[in-house]
Amino acid sequence: MWADLHHLFGGELYRPELVAHSARLLVPRSDWLAPVLQALGLGHVAPIYLVFGGYIVALTCLLLGFLSRPAAWAALLFHVMWTASGPESNYGVDTFARIALFICAIAPTGAVFSLDARRAPMWTSERAARRGLFLLQCLLAIAYGFSGYEKALGPDWWNGESIYRAMYLDSPHMAEFLTSVPFVAVFAGWGTLALEMGWPLLVWMRPTRRPLLVATMLMHLGILLTIHLVSFCAVMILLNLTLYLYDPHGHHQQARPEHPHIDRFSEPSHCTLHNAAR
Amino acid sequence: MKVSELAKRKIEVVSVLLIVHVALVVYGAAGSPKFERMGFAGFLWELYGEMTAASHQYGFFAPRVGSPTRIRLKVERPAQPAENFVLSMRSPEGHMRLGGFEDDLRNSEEPHTRRDISASLAAAQFDFVPDARTVTVSVECMDIPEMDQARQGVKPRWIQISSCTFRRKP
């Protein structure tokens, strides 16, 4: 998206200030930096590239676990700034990215599997870590549940028309093929509804969790292959994998020295995080 | 109070805040009316919802998948033939995001939204083409036949759903 950044978020495609939205008045945007950068002799597209570049740097630090919490807050702020600079072009991937960044900012991120933990032992409450993970699991369940419910309100997902129409977005030849086998579209539509509406309940039950998650990731993979929502599907598959399917019991448990003034925990945080899903 | 008790109390407070956040997320996802009449408190909720995605909805492709849409621009300059083109992006992700823009134009329920978005597109063209005299923004939507109709040979076609012409102020 680097090549289109200035078009979509730098005011070259459209002028977002002409599309009224009251809350955007106080939501940080990249063009807030424009007066300062123009005074330094930089062009009008410099703000969006600076903000997006800062976003990439913050994400990299978060990925490596270097200054994890500040990096999470910085990534959240930069994400808000560049998406708010062109809100009409935002879509689902931005919603889930913001949710995940918000959780990373408020939860004890970086306690394990991070450069921060390697440099110096980090002490955090097991319960705080569990709550952060549980919150993100709840938010994902809310998203799937409402997504399925809103799809079920109309007839198109029940009769397969939505699957057929979705193919026209990027694969018209597939759409034409579906007209000859309409039962495939109907089956896919019913499967999508069952998966999404059942998700909030089935994911909390141990016997159904793994089949549900595998089916969910196959659904996202199917979306990726047919209508090529690459970023969105990658984020959703990653969320499903990391929140539920990661099994910490295969990892070596490190003994932690006791500290007299901090809550003690007998297991490393990455093991206790998984307990939130049981 | 011991340090461990302080830590426990802190976690309890945070737990309450997280429950409130989840409640706000459910409220936002349900498409509940905004707190427009609550003045500053409502304004803060809008801001918080935008910063944390708590006010976002999850009606992706719901209740139906929208039709492919494209934006056609016609830029007229003095003493030159009019330039007529369809907006497109260079990257696949850019193309995807342009689609979100097109969806807003196609699905806008408020009467002024489509005009405002068209005006913002025209304004950018007036900036990009300094001698442009008029810019016409047309929104075209693919009329997709139902599966039964498609089996009978009906083909999809592009139809224009709106057109706005903007003239540069002298």
Side-chain angles (χ1 to χ4, degrees), chain A residues 1 3-4 7-9 12-15 18-19 22-23 26-28 76 80 82 88-96 98-99 102 106 125 127-128 131 135 139 142-143 146-147 150-151 154 156-157 159-162 164-166 168-169 178-179 182 227-229 231 261 263, chain B residues 3-4 7-8 11 15 18 21-22 25-26 29-30 43 46-48 50-53 56-68 87 89-91 93-98 100-101 104 116-117 119-121 123-125 127 142 144-148 150-151 155-156:
Chain A
M1 196 176 66
D4 294 319
H7 291 303
L8 291 165
F9 303 101
E12 290 199 355
L13 172 66
Y14 76 115
R15 299 263 296 276
L18 297 180
V19 186
S22 60
L26 282 186
V27 175
L76 177 64
V80 170
W82 71 262
E88 279 69 28
S89 54
N90 296 336
Y91 67 108
V93 70
D94 301 304
T95 296
F96 287 103
R98 192 163 306 171
I99 290 171
F102 175 65
I106 63 173
S125 167
R127 283 184 293 176
R131 279 168 173 75
L135 175 63
L139 297 181
I142 291 170
F146 273 97
S147 179
E150 295 203 29
K151 287 184 172 72
D156 280 24
W157 283 94
N159 59 20
E161 287 289 331
S162 275
Y164 158 72
R165 293 173 66 87
Y168 262 106
L169 295 176
L178 280 178
T179 60
I227 58 178
H228 305 111
L229 292 177
S231 300
H261 299 302
D263 285 341
Chain B
V3 172
S4 60
K8 289 177 186 175
I11 289 177
S15 299
L18 294 181
H21 178 77
V22 171
V25 168
V26 172
F43 188 79
E46 296 273 358
L47 185 61
Y48 177 79
E50 192 60 37
M51 297 287 289
T52 62
H56 289 201
Q57 294 181 258
Y58 301 97
F60 308 122
F61 297 127
R64 71 182 324 212
V65 176
S67 301
L87 278 179
M89 294 289 116
R90 297 177 192 174
S91 62
E93 180 69 17
H95 179 73
M96 177 62 57
R97 290 183 178 275
L98 183 62
F101 200 87
D104 283 346
D116 287 350
I117 297 178
S120 68
L121 283 167
Q125 288 300 312
D127 289 341
M142 182 182 281
I144 301 174
E146 295 182 355
M147 282 194 286
D148 290 340
R151 276 196 294 275
K155 296 295 182 186

Side-chain angles (χ1 to χ4, degrees), chain B residues 91-142:
Chain B
S91 62
E93 180 69 17
H95 179 73
M96 177 62 57
R97 290 183 178 275
L98 183 62
F101 200 87
E102 293 160 346
D103 288 346
D104 283 346
L105 273 171
R106 184 187 66 240
N107 299 329
S108 58
E109 296 175 351
E110 297 179 15
H112 62 82
T113 301
R114 190 177 291 167
R115 194 201 71 87
D116 287 350
I117 297 178
S118 298
S120 68
L121 283 167
Q125 288 300 312
F126 282 124
D127 289 341
F128 188 66
V129 186
D131 60 341
R133 194 186 315 176
T134 63
V135 175
T136 301
V137 180
S138 304
V139 182
E140 299 175 355
C141 182
M142 182 182 281

Side-chain angles (χ1 to χ4, degrees), chain A residues 59-225:
Chain A
L59 284 181
T60 305
C61 291
L62 189 58
L63 180 66
L64 297 175
F66 177 66
L67 299 177
S68 304
R69 296 289 287 275
W73 280 109
L76 177 64
L77 176 64
F78 286 132
H79 185 263
V80 170
M81 289 182 74
W82 71 262
T83 53
S85 301
E88 279 69 28
S89 54
N90 296 336
Y91 67 108
V93 70
D94 301 304
T95 296
F96 287 103
R98 192 163 306 171
I99 290 171
L101 287 173
F102 175 65
I103 301 301
C104 286
I106 63 173
T109 313
V112 290
F113 298 137
S114 64
L115 292 177
D116 294 338
R118 280 177 169 265
R119 287 186 299 123
M122 293 181 64
W123 299 98
T124 186
S125 167
E126 175 183 333
R127 283 184 293 176
R130 283 189 188 183
R131 279 168 173 75
L133 180 68
F134 185 64
L135 175 63
L136 192 48
Q137 291 170 336
C138 285
L139 297 181
L140 197 62
I142 291 170
Y144 276 118
F146 273 97
S147 179
Y149 167 73
E150 295 203 29
K151 287 184 172 72
L153 292 178
D156 280 24
W157 283 94
W158 296 101
N159 59 20
E161 287 289 331
S162 275
I163 299 292
Y164 158 72
R165 293 173 66 87
M167 294 299 111
Y168 262 106
L169 295 176
D170 215 34
S171 308
H173 56 284
M174 283 289 293
E176 292 173 8
F177 168 73
L178 280 178
T179 60
S180 58
V181 285
F183 63 90
V184 173
V186 175
F187 177 77
W190 278 68
T192 302
L193 289 173
L195 198 64
E196 293 193 351
M197 286 199 292
W199 211 94
L201 178 66
L202 298 176
V203 76
W204 302 111
M205 298 159 57
R206 186 188 289 271
T208 54
R209 183 180 306 142
R210 275 184 184 266
L212 174 76
L213 293 171
V214 171
T216 303
M217 287 192 289
L218 286 175
M219 177 185 72
H220 287 302
L221 202 59
I223 294 171
L224 191 153
L225 293 174

